[in-house]
Amino acid sequence: MMIWDDIFLEVDFWINIVSIALIVIGIYGIVFSQHLLRMVFGLGLLEAGVNILLVKAGYQKEAIAPIVTQASDTMMSNILAATAQMVDPVPQAMVLTAIVIAAGVQALALSLVIRIYKKYGTLDSHVLFLAMERDRHLSLNQKD
Amino acid sequence: MQRWTTILFLTGLSIVLFAIITPLVLGQSPMLVGKLINASAVNDTGAANLVTAVVLAYRGLDTLGELAILFTAATAIGIILGTTDKTQTTSSPTAGFIVATAAKVLFPLLLVFALYIILHGHLTPGGGFQGGAVLAAAFFLLTLADSGNNIKHKVTQVIEALAGTAFIVLGLVSFALQGVFLQPWLDKGELGSLFSAGSLPLLYLALGLKVGAELANLLSSLANVEK
Amino acid sequence: MNIIILVITVSMLVIAAFYVVWADSFFTVLAASSMVSVGLVLLFVLLRAPDVALTEAVVGVALTGVIYALTLAKIDLWKINDNDDNNDVSQSKQ
């Protein structure tokens, strides 16, 4: 009973659960769905799960956010004592850029989705596959 | 049958991920560079926000590459969807009177908020990326309220080019003065004041303008594509 | 106290992620994906990452939502009910 409580009260456990859940659901959305738009949504979920894992890699217990506040300024020794308790800022900086890049990549994917819809009039991947195969055969026949 | 293979695949994937992730024990960071940066960032850069110090000083080249990726994405969207400066839009309906008035009231407030986030990036959470996104949202709000005033692609492209050039020029000046590309080079000033941390606020201003122009460009070309 | 907020946030995130992949209407999917971003903001604040939380709040909740909404409008999915054409938002003005 005691061990069970320990596991369930652990921050680590819940962060692992949510990141794995997001990654698995995102991969499910990318691989197993038929609608192209839902694949892009799955990509967003996958990126979110990976971002949580990256931020978790820099987290420390009883630590503070990596910002020197007014309460601990002016004395260099005070600043060093404060920064020693801070979380790792490097993964946070990487996730900061990764989120903006994720938005750009999703916008690019969505623009491709819009173009596909304008050309074929559907977003079902099975129907699209057949239509693209037909177009390929037509273009091959024209060359001959 | 396919349902069971799906469930089997997802379960196996979760178990593999769990086995990979659980050895990373929380609180025992495998990276040692974080502690060194924490100990020396305030001395090196003078920025109160250590994430800003990492983004612009220690890993400034990464940020430059990230800008290149964002630029590539925005350009690709422009190529795919086509950028058309529509002067008169009669087809798309305008929002109601309340929304149009609220947009006009909110626009200057959003601009002030965006510039506040950008210029205080070295002191508080925030910076060029967040402020740039707010900037793009502010200009796009006007387009949403009244489809007549579009974001001009030519203007945003000029702003984007100037901001990107400013970012690189700031890095090249540092190269000329100190021999290292993209190193902070102005006076560090007093920790915690607005004019401190050397060239980091200037870099963040350039970055914020570039991100804002790119995202506004992107939103405008997504909104203007005809069905 | 932190652990209760964490558990609530985690369950909200997982439920919203389920809705993103399995909901029928794309309105629901759009709302649920913004919900995932809100949960991420709370989680980043709990993990002592205010910069990342602000970025996620601005980009993930607002900007990505607007981009998805514009896309839905362009591919004729911006409607409440598929059976009723009069519910199209772009036509309801007239």
Side-chain angles (χ1 to χ4, degrees), chain B residues 145-159:
Chain B
D146 181 10
S147 55
N149 49 15
N150 271 311
I151 298 166
K152 299 279 185 299
H153 278 290
K154 281 184 182 143
V155 178
T156 53
Q157 275 162 4
V158 167
I159 291 174

Side-chain angles (χ1 to χ4, degrees), chain B:
Chain B
M1 185 59 198
Q2 201 202 345
R3 174 178 297 268
W4 288 108
T5 49
T6 306
I7 291 173
L8 197 66
F9 169 72
L10 292 181
T11 318
L13 190 68
S14 336
I15 290 171
V16 168
L17 281 175
F18 209 81
I20 293 173
I21 287 167
T22 36
L24 289 170
V25 182
L26 192 73
Q28 298 173 2
S29 173
M31 294 167 290
L32 298 174
V33 66
K35 289 191 179 63
L36 293 177
I37 285 179
N38 273 346
S40 62
V42 175
N43 257 336
D44 283 352
T45 63
N49 189 352
L50 299 191
V51 177
T52 299
V54 174
V55 166
L56 291 179
Y58 291 100
R59 305 183 72 89
L61 270 179
D62 278 11
T63 308
L64 193 59
E66 192 270 347
L67 280 182
I69 293 176
L70 200 63
F71 173 72
T72 314
T75 315
I77 290 170
I79 291 171
I80 289 170
L81 294 178
T83 53
T84 49
D85 271 333
K86 280 201 286 187
T87 50
Q88 40 118 17
T89 52
T90 51
S91 60
S92 58
T94 56
F97 172 72
I98 295 175
V99 177
T101 313
K104 275 176 200 153
V105 173
L106 277 177
F107 176 68
L109 296 177
L110 274 173
L111 273 190
V112 170
F113 182 56
L115 286 177
Y116 167 77
I117 289 182
I118 292 176
L119 290 178
H120 285 71
H122 57 295
L123 303 176
T124 54
F129 295 109
Q130 299 94 325
V134 176
L135 210 60
F139 279 100
F140 188 62
L141 185 66
L142 287 182
T143 311
L144 272 187
D146 181 10
S147 55
N149 49 15
N150 271 311
I151 298 166
K152 299 279 185 299
H153 278 290
K154 281 184 182 143
V155 178
T156 53
Q157 275 162 4
V158 167
I159 291 174
E160 187 186 328
L162 286 181
T165 316
F167 194 91
I168 295 175
V169 163
L170 282 169
L172 284 178
V173 169
S174 141
F175 185 67
L177 290 180
Q178 298 171 337
V180 184
F181 187 60
L182 272 178
Q183 196 163 15
W185 51 276
L186 277 175
D187 185 30
K188 289 188 193 80
E190 190 187 347
L191 178 71
S193 60
L194 180 58
F195 296 103
S196 66
S199 61
L200 296 193
L202 294 176
L203 280 176
Y204 244 165
L205 186 61
L207 200 149
L209 286 179
K210 187 164 168 60
V211 170
E214 261 160 13
L215 290 177
N217 220 336
L218 191 155
L219 283 171
S220 143
S221 47
L222 264 176
N224 277 338
V225 59
E226 63 275 2
K227 279 193 212 173

Side-chain angles (χ1 to χ4, degrees), chain A residues 16 20 23 27-28 53 56 59 66-68 79-80 83 86-89 92-93 97 101 107-108 112 114-115 118, chain B residues 6 10 13 17-18 21 24 26-27 34 38-39 48-51 54-55 66 76-77 80 123 125 191 218 222 225:
Chain A
N16 281 347
I20 290 174
I23 290 174
I27 287 179
Y28 176 86
L53 272 187
K56 191 205 114 180
Y59 180 71
I67 294 170
V68 180
I79 292 172
L80 283 181
T83 53
M86 286 175 181
V87 298
D88 194 345
Q92 295 192 14
T97 54
I101 289 184
L108 181 58
L112 284 172
I114 292 176
R115 273 307 287 265
K118 273 165 72 178
Chain B
T6 306
L10 292 181
L13 190 68
L17 281 175
F18 209 81
I21 287 167
L24 289 170
L26 192 73
N38 273 346
N49 189 352
L50 299 191
V51 177
V54 174
V55 166
E66 192 270 347
I77 290 170
I80 289 170
L123 303 176
L191 178 71
L218 191 155
L222 264 176
V225 59

